[in-house]
Amino acid sequence: MEQNLILINGEIMPLEEAKLDYLDRGHIFGDGVFEIVPVYNGRCFALVPHMENLFDYTIKTKIPGIYTVGELIEFHEALLEATGLTSCEIYTQISRGSAPYGLGFPTQSIPELIMFALPVDRKTAREKVTNGVNVITVEDERWASCDINTLNRMPEVMAKEKAIVGRAYDALFVRDGKITEGTEASFFVYKDGILWTHPDGKYIHRNITKRLLKERLSGGLDLQIMERPFTKDFALESDGAFLCGPRCEFVPVTKIDRSLVNEGKVNPVVDKIRDAFFDFVLTECPDKA
């Protein structure tokens, strides 16, 4: 097994053999879309809904569809088998392909598919956030179609770097005085026995983990979810807060812009949600051993 591999247009090869055309529109214009799938125990988690999202992104951006959802699923399984990775994330990117320079859609181009696996040490990552993390807020200046995962991610890059420089775990975007989401995760607060989060829409990334919480986990935990915009003050006055997403899973938030949430303590409800999620993952992706 070799972990240092990449899949390009259906072919798996060593990274050192991979080549990028300098006229690829994803490279020049960010003209492409992406999706990230978490892998547990050598199995892709929620692969079908993730790929359905990716397929929908190509439709909305009018990138010609040259692969079916079924083929994309097969590529994931082939890449996992070739790399031998059991705990990782698989990044999938589809660009409009190479064409002569120009903003308008080319009359002829073949979309380019790139996939690779990133090893993840989830045990260590979970231990680091068990007692909660600090986040900062930044103005949400992203474009008005955040529900499409495009390659244009400069606002997220700048926000994440600001968080890193400020020794924070992540940044929360704020638009019109209301918290929208984190750079790669949804944001929830627990207040008055209810989970609050910003409603889905054009300013919110599609989030399979958030969808799982809403559709599968909340009922078993007897938790009501209210999708309504709220301010930073509302979050600071809550009984607990957390980030959730395919990459970070569930991360308790105990401080926002140097102000404590729930006196800096992780609410037990957040721990219950995390435990329910981990149990669900093990059910869907059992240890092959």
Side-chain angles (χ1 to χ4, degrees), residues 137-140 172-181 198 228-235:
T137 57
V138 298
E139 190 67 25
D140 193 346
L172 298 178
F173 288 113
V174 177
R175 184 183 294 269
D176 299 327
K178 306 296 175 61
I179 295 175
T180 50
E181 60 184 350
H198 196 287
R228 184 176 297 174
F230 54 82
T231 64
K232 184 178 79 170
D233 287 341
F234 183 90

Side-chain angles (χ1 to χ4, degrees), residues 78-93:
L79 191 57
L80 275 182
E81 182 177 357
T83 61
L85 290 169
T86 58
S87 179
C88 62
E89 299 167 342
I90 295 183
Y91 174 86
T92 301
Q93 171 180 306

Side-chain angles (χ1 to χ4, degrees), residues 190-191 232-239 260-261:
Y190 180 65
K191 185 177 174 64
K232 184 178 79 170
D233 287 341
F234 183 90
L236 289 173
E237 294 167 359
S238 71
D239 302 314
L260 296 178
V261 177

Side-chain angles (χ1 to χ4, degrees), residues 117-139:
L118 300 168
V120 177
D121 182 355
R122 290 195 173 87
K123 183 176 184 295
T124 299
R126 291 170 184 173
E127 290 174 349
K128 288 182 178 179
V129 302
T130 298
N131 296 322
V133 300
N134 174 34
V135 298
I136 62 172
T137 57
V138 298
E139 190 67 25

Side-chain angles (χ1 to χ4, degrees), residues 97 198 204 244:
H198 196 287
I204 301 294
C244 81

Side-chain angles (χ1 to χ4, degrees), residues 65-82:
I66 58 175
Y67 299 106
T68 65
V69 170
E71 287 174 322
L72 292 171
I73 290 174
E74 291 176 1
F75 292 155
H76 277 74
E77 294 173 346
L79 191 57
L80 275 182
E81 182 177 357

